[in-house]
Amino acid sequence: MRRAGVQVLDPVLDHCQVEWLLVSADECPDQETEAWIIRTHFRIPQTPWGQHKAYVKPVEVRRSRRWVLFRQVSGILD
């Protein structure tokens, strides 16, 4: 079972968001599967660039016995 979404952390200026994906630990048993999910569902990390200084941080992975949470922060610097 998978659940996914996007949370806007700054709804007024819309400068920062978190994309997340929650996967059952049975579907993601090892680091190879983690890497595949990251490559398939998330963007490539990049430092601030361009006129608006857009950035994408690396994907964070958190595990529990039943779930694996993937989350990636992206946005625009002021």
Side-chain angles (χ1 to χ4, degrees), residues 2 24 27 60:
R2 294 181 185 203
S24 167
E27 293 180 49
E60 297 175 16

Side-chain angles (χ1 to χ4, degrees), residues 3-58:
R3 298 177 186 170
V6 176
Q7 179 181 12
V8 178
L9 297 179
D10 187 4
V12 175
L13 298 175
D14 198 24
H15 282 192
C16 188
Q17 70 180 19
V18 176
E19 296 177 52
W20 59 270
L21 176 66
L22 188 64
V23 179
S24 167
D26 295 335
E27 293 180 49
C28 185
D30 55 16
Q31 289 185 344
E32 185 178 311
T33 311
E34 281 182 14
W36 179 81
I37 290 173
I38 290 170
R39 283 192 313 270
T40 331
H41 295 282
F42 293 95
R43 295 183 283 166
I44 297 171
Q46 56 190 352
T47 56
W49 64 281
Q51 180 181 0
H52 298 292
K53 301 291 186 194
Y55 66 91
V56 179
K57 292 189 177 181

